[in-house]
């Protein structure tokens, strides 16, 4: 997990993931990150909606209580939250 954080090239916003094909890799759960109906295969990030601090991807597929720091390195995308929760996706 620390590999992406220690060697990231740049931080990005969640909106920069729009249109990307990704595959779920793993996550460090908590109460501020909710994964619903997450597909087993790859999927495209089609929508990003912000409701105050809450960020919703693909109409509720992934719900985040606050915006994460997004880092990418070598096709691995890390969404890191101030609460310590983490979500890792692999770019397809």
């Amino acid at each position: 997990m620390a590999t992406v954080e220690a060697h990231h090239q740049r931080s990005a916003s969640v909106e920069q993931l729009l249109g990307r094909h990704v595959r779920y890799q793993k996550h460090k759960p908590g109460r501020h990150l909710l994964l619903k109906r997450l597909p087993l295969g790859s999927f495209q990030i089609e929508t990003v909606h912000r409701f105050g601090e809450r960020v919703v991807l693909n109409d509720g597929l992934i719900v985040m209580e606050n915006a994460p720091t997004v880092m990418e390195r070598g096709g691995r995308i890390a969404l890191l939250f101030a609460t310590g929760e983490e979500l890792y996706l692999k770019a397809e």
Side-chain angles (χ1 to χ4, degrees):
M1 288 187 228
T3 304
V4 173
E5 187 172 1
H7 301 287
H8 75 277
Q9 295 173 344
R10 60 185 174 86
S11 294
S13 68
V14 178
E15 286 80 7
Q16 291 179 324
L17 298 176
L18 274 171
R20 302 282 304 269
H21 285 322
V22 296
R23 179 184 302 268
Y24 167 79
Q25 197 168 32
K26 64 181 176 178
H27 75 285
K28 180 179 171 187
R31 65 177 220 232
H32 294 11
L33 173 65
L34 178 63
L35 307 175
K36 287 185 182 177
R37 306 169 295 164
L38 203 59
L40 297 175
S42 64
F43 61 96
Q44 183 174 359
I45 298 176
E46 297 171 347
T47 62
V48 174
H49 297 288
R50 288 185 182 259
F51 302 99
E53 288 292 315
R54 181 175 285 179
V55 179
V56 179
L57 299 181
N58 287 7
D59 298 324
L61 185 69
I62 300 172
V63 178
M64 300 167 275
E65 288 298 321
N66 47 20
T69 299
V70 179
M71 292 183 242
E72 183 175 359
R73 180 175 183 259
R76 188 173 185 200
I77 301 167
L79 285 77
L80 307 173
F81 299 84
T83 59
E85 295 158 289
E86 302 166 351
L87 172 61
Y88 292 90
L89 303 169
K90 180 80 174 157
E92 296 283 311

